[in-house]
Amino acid sequence: CDTMSAQQPRRRKAAQSADRADDTSQEPPTSAQKFIMEFPVLVLWTGIFCASSWALCFPLALPRRVLESPLIWRLPFHGGVFCTIGAFIVKWYMEVYQAGIMGQQINYESNPRATHLLLGLIGSAWLMLVVGLWPQYHVFSLLVVALFGIGVLFPVTMWSVMYGRSVENVIFMVATTYFVFWYTGDSGDLVM
């Protein structure tokens, strides 16, 4: 009788562990399944960020004031644009050259200098853009720079999950080039 009672719990444990093995042996979702699962969330967040950013841009008269206002301090503003372009170049170097061509794993331990340079350029761009926009917008210059980051850069980065980093880099390069030509009307004016 003792052997029967000892065997029954063992059978139950074996059955439970088999059920657990079936649960953990599920295959990860394919890219199409991942797209279907993440697409509504991406559309929702992109819509929220873009709509709120554009709703706040109209009372502040963006981008017309950035382009035409004599109050904007142009030297720091140009420095912010150059630091943004520099951050893009460092990002491109890390993603395309080191990870794509050289096949290196990109993390902080393998690239501390490039990571520090990227963080420094992003911080410098933010600071210079805030200083350059301060005479026009005062405290709202923090909001203007945040609107650009949240309303433009964040949705592009979120959508890169769907279309990949290469397309994100091309979008950023085209948008930055378009802004520089739109801002200056001539690429030589930006240099001073």
Side-chain angles (χ1 to χ4, degrees):
C1 228
D2 290 333
T3 58
M4 294 289 257
S5 63
Q7 290 177 354
Q8 278 183 333
R10 288 184 185 163
R11 287 182 190 161
R12 287 182 197 154
K13 289 181 182 177
Q16 289 174 353
S17 64
D19 291 339
R20 289 180 188 160
D22 290 339
D23 292 340
T24 58
S25 66
Q26 292 178 356
E27 296 178 18
T30 63
S31 60
Q33 290 172 336
K34 190 176 178 181
F35 176 80
I36 290 169
M37 290 186 303
E38 292 179 357
F39 185 73
V41 174
L42 289 173
V43 170
L44 177 69
W45 280 110
T46 301
I48 289 171
F49 283 123
C50 287
S52 61
S53 294
W54 283 108
L56 290 170
C57 284
F58 285 113
L60 295 173
L62 292 173
R64 185 182 57 80
R65 283 190 184 162
V66 171
L67 296 173
E68 299 172 359
S69 176
L71 295 176
I72 291 179
W73 193 11
R74 298 294 169 187
L75 186 62
F77 185 79
H78 292 169
V81 171
F82 283 134
C83 285
T84 303
I85 294 169
F88 167 72
I89 291 170
V90 172
K91 176 185 175 295
W92 180 87
Y93 167 76
M94 291 172 69
E95 289 178 353
V96 174
Y97 179 71
Q98 287 187 333
I101 296 172
M102 300 300 290
Q104 296 176 354
Q105 184 72 14
I106 301 297
N107 55 30
Y108 176 76
E109 288 81 22
S110 66
N111 287 322
R113 289 182 184 163
T115 305
H116 290 153
L117 179 62
L118 182 63
L119 291 173
L121 286 169
I122 291 171
S124 299
W126 180 83
L127 181 66
M128 288 184 189
L129 289 172
V130 168
V131 168
L133 295 173
W134 192 269
Q136 175 69 43
Y137 293 108
H138 304 291
V139 174
F140 288 114
S141 61
L142 298 168
L143 178 64
V144 170
V145 175
L147 285 176
F148 177 71
I150 292 173
V152 177
L153 298 180
F154 187 67
V156 168
T157 304
M158 283 177 44
W159 277 92
S160 72
V161 172
M162 297 300 167
Y163 51 73
R165 295 280 182 202
S166 300
V167 177
E168 176 188 353
N169 290 336
V170 169
I171 288 172
F172 185 80
M173 183 179 66
V174 168
T176 304
T177 304
Y178 177 74
F179 173 76
V180 168
F181 281 108
W182 184 42
Y183 175 70
T184 62
D186 177 25
S187 59
D189 291 344
L190 190 62
V191 179
M192 294 170 88

